[in-house]
Amino acid sequence: MSVKVAVVYYSSTGAVHQLARALAEGAEKEGAEVRLRRVPELAPDAAIDANPAWRAHVEATADVEVAALEDLEWADAYALGSPTRFGNVAAQLKQFVDTTGGLWQRGVMADKAATGFTSAHNPHGGNESTLLALYNTFHHWGSVIVSPGFTDPAVYAAGGNPYGTAHPAANGAPAENVLAAARYQGARLTTIAKRLKGLAVD
């Protein structure tokens, strides 16, 4: 019996998408069944077209399924990802989160493992505050927050963020050290989810 992990994210130019895929890979390697889902884009075409990388990413990920509330109901654990917007969660992911009131009232997300990941342009461009803002949602959901902490060398190798994997996009695409940290975070989330479900964990 495996656990089910929903990786739900928003990405404009691709960094958070790459982190999401790596986190999903880590969860799958640990034995989880994973749904990788993007939230709908809210920005107008004029804004997207003004940034060629943004338009290219929208087109490149058109085949990624769009997140639905059913994905949250299905899952035993959650990994939510967002680029930082002025030190906070992007409106696209927040809009999806704001539709979960009905599930919250029924306690659907309570007692389930949850974690977050992010990307800002600079190393100190709001990564930690964005993750902490995202974790406020998990507190309200009654979820069990599973941060990576300093529990594996991969965390240190990726810059040492104990709140969640974070990528400084000014460095270009996420390098292998950052992707390895995301894979570890996905594996750790799965391990804790197994424990919460009473499944045997080595």
Side-chain angles (χ1 to χ4, degrees), residues 6-194:
V7 181
V8 179
Y9 74 95
Y10 171 71
S11 185
S12 55
T13 57
V16 174
H17 171 74
Q18 290 178 270
L19 296 181
R21 289 186 60 178
L23 201 143
E25 290 168 5
E28 288 173 341
K29 187 173 181 181
E30 197 61 33
E33 182 182 350
V34 176
R35 289 186 183 179
L36 180 68
R37 300 288 189 264
R38 62 181 175 86
V39 298
E41 179 61 80
L42 302 178
D45 284 335
I48 297 170
D49 290 336
N51 183 338
W54 194 350
R55 172 54 66 190
H57 179 68
V58 167
E59 294 177 357
T61 57
D63 61 336
V64 178
E65 289 191 48
V66 174
L69 293 179
E70 191 274 331
D71 296 315
L72 300 183
E73 197 149 14
W74 167 86
D76 301 306
Y78 311 114
L80 270 58
S82 170
T84 180
R85 293 291 185 263
F86 299 107
N88 216 319
V89 178
Q92 289 85 345
L93 183 66
K94 185 64 166 60
Q95 190 276 338
F96 175 75
V97 166
D98 286 348
T99 68
T100 63
L103 298 184
W104 165 78
Q105 286 183 320
R106 292 193 285 119
V108 168
M109 288 82 69
D111 303 325
K112 294 181 180 180
T115 198
F117 54 100
T118 190
S119 176
H121 188 72
N122 300 307
H124 301 289
N127 284 319
E128 291 182 0
S129 63
T130 297
L131 290 170
L132 291 171
L134 183 56
Y135 291 171
N136 286 335
T137 295
F138 298 157
H139 285 299
H140 283 259
W141 284 356
S143 302
V144 178
I145 296 173
V146 180
S147 56
F150 293 110
T151 58
D152 190 88
V155 177
Y156 292 94
N161 190 332
Y163 302 98
T165 305
H167 171 62
N171 294 347
E176 178 54 34
N177 63 324
V178 177
L179 297 177
R183 291 187 198 102
Y184 168 71
Q185 189 172 353
R188 176 170 165 79
L189 177 70
T190 302
T191 297
I192 300 303
K194 288 178 181 178

